[in-house]
Amino acid sequence: MRPIFRLAARCALLAAGTLAVTHARGQDPNSQARLDSLEARMRRLELRINRIDPDPRSQTRSAIESGRFGGFVLADNKGVSLEIGGFVQFDAIHDFHRTSNHDAFQPSSILIPNDHKTSTSYSIRQTRFNFIGTIPIGKNSLKTILEFDLFNPDGSSVPRLRHAWGEYGRFGAGQYWSNFMDIDVFPNTLDYYGPNSMVFTRQVQVRYTQPVGEHTKIAVSLEKPSGNITLPADSGYASLQQLPDAVLSIRHDWGTGNHIKLAGAFHPLTYETPALDRKSAPGWGVNLTGAFQLPNKDNFVYQAAYGEGIANYLNDIGGNGYDAIYHSPEKKLNTVPALGLMGFYDHWWSDKWSSTVGWAYLTLKPKAYQPPADFNWSHYGVGNLLWYPNGFMKVGIEYLYGYRNNIDGMNADNHRLQLSAMFKF
């Protein structure tokens, strides 16, 4: 709670009330009755401005990404509230080998062949701000989320939309985390991208969530078509977004910080020829995720994802055309099998110090006719030491290791050191 803000608001109201009462006393002998009425109106109009002091665990990466880190809350006496939150983050990044992505650690961006030259970059692009509104309507509340960061795809620090989401009761619609992913298994890293193999994407969607018992819920969503396929160059063939992705998930929670989630996705892929003929290939995938909290409050998160034509959902290679590859002799679009595994352990040395270690592996089963320089598989490893001096700051140093292997066997790796400081508001 921030007394300074409440004090300022009340002082402003008191000043206004004092002027009104002074005027009333000069004009009307019944000023006391008017004063009582004015004070009652002021109480009805007064806003509560709260700020809950968060504990260090509210600054973990999964808590931040899922919006549990909190902000300044403006609320009236009828339960209507607006939460304003976010943080400023500074990153100092040093790469020991050449990479094309200097702001986030992405093994697929490691250059092959690699001349092992070093580079250093500074960034504030992880900086983020958001607005969360809540309005009680009937038996439920209408909740809206609007969030931006500075990680613009064009390399600039122009604000970029992350979430534009609304939900009422069991229905939700807008742009939010895909139902196929599990944001609660994001390891506590400083790196922006996170594990190469993680199913990680925001989708425009409509979703319905149905509780099944006290600790289990089923969610079904129709999400924006997002097929990313490779078609013959200069052929006139075009990728189409014809049918939405359909995702079904079930999640069970128990105890404190424990859950397991299983999600399945149907991901139709369609292209059109210059003659306006349309052909499709079915993409599909399953994703098993979960988190376990140990008695000492350490926790372990994991993911095992497999499918054909789901590369666009995977963190390291989404958007690179690996959902499916067109084979001209067969005149057929063939989906590419993909496997993503990861496991990360968060250890708390104390309430103010923590470390995360873990590994992730991503592999594709390439087609014989793919270019030899295409991506085949990659590794992602991380270890860090983080300090939480108070509930609004996080400072840490992180070591990252990445390895990329192409279809032709050519490979390269990269070592990165990242020093970051986060300041919440």
Side-chain angles (χ1 to χ4, degrees):
M1 183 175 294
R2 290 296 192 213
I4 184 87
F5 290 102
R6 289 190 302 172
L7 179 61
R10 288 176 177 173
C11 286
L13 289 169
L14 181 59
T18 301
L19 290 174
V21 171
T22 301
H23 177 74
R25 283 176 175 166
Q27 302 293 326
D28 193 330
N30 298 320
S31 59
Q32 186 61 45
R34 295 196 173 201
L35 173 61
D36 293 341
S37 176
L38 179 60
E39 288 179 343
R41 292 181 182 180
M42 288 167 60
R43 284 194 297 271
R44 288 197 298 269
L45 291 173
E46 184 178 9
L47 292 176
R48 300 189 311 274
I49 303 178
N50 300 322
R51 181 63 161 102
I52 299 174
D53 292 341
D55 60 53
R57 291 173 188 265
S58 68
Q59 299 184 67
T60 62
R61 188 64 182 271
S62 61
I64 289 173
E65 296 293 348
S66 59
R68 299 195 300 271
F69 56 87
F72 294 99
V73 181
L74 288 77
D76 67 9
N77 58 6
K78 293 185 179 181
V80 177
S81 68
L82 175 64
E83 179 178 320
I84 304 172
F87 57 87
V88 173
Q89 181 160 330
F90 164 78
D91 299 320
I93 297 170
H94 181 78
D95 287 298
F96 290 86
H97 298 168
R98 290 282 298 278
T99 178
S100 61
N101 191 339
H102 297 283
D103 294 324
F105 196 69
Q106 186 180 10
S108 66
S109 69
I110 298 173
L111 299 181
I112 301 176
N114 202 302
D115 58 13
H116 295 183
K117 290 184 177 179
T118 63
S119 63
T120 300
S121 62
Y122 283 7
S123 174
I124 46 82
R125 298 179 68 202
Q126 291 204 54
T127 295
R128 189 179 307 177
F129 52 97
N130 60 61
F131 307 91
I132 302 175
T134 304
I135 303 174
I137 301 177
K139 297 181 179 180
N140 298 302
S141 291
L142 173 64
K143 181 179 180 180
T144 54
I145 302 173
L146 190 63
E147 182 175 83
F148 302 84
D149 68 10
L150 304 183
F151 223 94
N152 201 286
D154 63 7
S156 71
S157 297
V158 176
R160 175 192 65 154
L161 177 67
R162 287 170 55 87
H163 299 303
W165 178 253
E167 59 183 33
Y168 180 72
R170 299 173 183 174
F171 289 93
Q175 179 170 296
Y176 198 59
W177 300 119
S178 170
N179 188 27
F180 189 48
M181 65 173 286
D182 184 353
I183 193 58
D184 290 328
V185 301
F186 203 117
N188 194 20
T189 62
L190 298 173
D191 168 45
Y192 179 79
Y193 263 29
N196 57 337
S197 61
M198 186 175 180
V199 176
F200 185 83
T201 183
R202 289 173 288 270
Q203 294 273 69
V204 178
Q205 61 187 283
V206 58
R207 184 187 301 187
Y208 177 79
T209 302
Q210 174 65 51
V212 182
E214 186 176 356
H215 302 291
T216 306
K217 58 184 179 182
I218 295 174
V220 59
S221 62
L222 294 176
E223 304 185 1
K224 179 182 177 180
S226 55
N228 196 258
I229 60 182
T230 298
L231 297 167
D234 302 322
S235 64
Y237 289 13
S239 176
L240 297 181
Q241 297 180 346
Q242 187 174 22
L243 296 173
D245 293 1
V247 182
L248 175 67
S249 70
I250 181 169
R251 171 171 169 150
H252 177 71
D253 293 81
W254 73 94
T256 302
N258 304 303
H259 80 272
I260 186 171
K261 178 179 177 179
L262 179 64
F266 175 67
H267 182 50
L269 306 167
T270 305
Y271 72 95
E272 186 175 74
T273 69
L276 303 184
D277 292 329
R278 293 186 177 184
K279 296 185 179 181
S280 300
W284 61 271
V286 292
N287 187 24
L288 177 67
T289 57
F292 294 104
Q293 188 171 104
L294 304 179
N296 63 354
K297 295 187 178 180
D298 289 356
N299 66 289
F300 176 76
V301 297
Y302 64 89
Q303 175 202 278
Y306 179 80
E308 296 189 13
I310 61 166
N312 206 47
Y313 280 97
L314 299 171
N315 202 11
D316 193 19
I317 54 175
N320 291 341
Y322 293 131
D323 276 352
I325 310 293
Y326 182 83
H327 191 209
S328 298
E330 293 181 339
K331 296 183 179 181
K332 184 180 179 182
L333 187 66
N334 295 316
T335 56
V336 179
L339 171 67
L341 303 173
M342 74 176 205
F344 290 85
Y345 181 71
D346 295 334
H347 173 66
W348 288 82
W349 305 98
S350 69
D351 287 339
K352 291 186 177 294
W353 294 89
S354 76
S355 291
T356 295
V357 295
W359 199 265
Y361 173 69
L362 170 63
T363 182
L364 301 179
K365 187 177 181 181
K367 304 300 180 182
Y369 47 83
Q370 283 186 246
D374 272 8
F375 174 92
N376 190 358
W377 52 269
S378 67
H379 289 289
Y380 174 102
V382 65
N384 61 35
L385 179 63
L386 308 179
W387 177 47
Y388 311 85
N390 53 59
F392 298 91
M393 294 175 59
K394 179 170 68 175
V395 180
I397 187 169
E398 183 166 272
Y399 166 76
L400 297 139
Y401 175 77
Y403 185 95
R404 169 181 173 163
N405 191 83
N406 288 343
I407 294 174
D408 58 8
M410 294 288 289
N411 58 75
D413 63 359
N414 184 26
H415 304 261
R416 171 176 287 187
L417 285 179
Q418 179 168 334
L419 176 65
S420 298
M422 186 186 77
F423 309 93
K424 295 165 64 174
F425 54 83

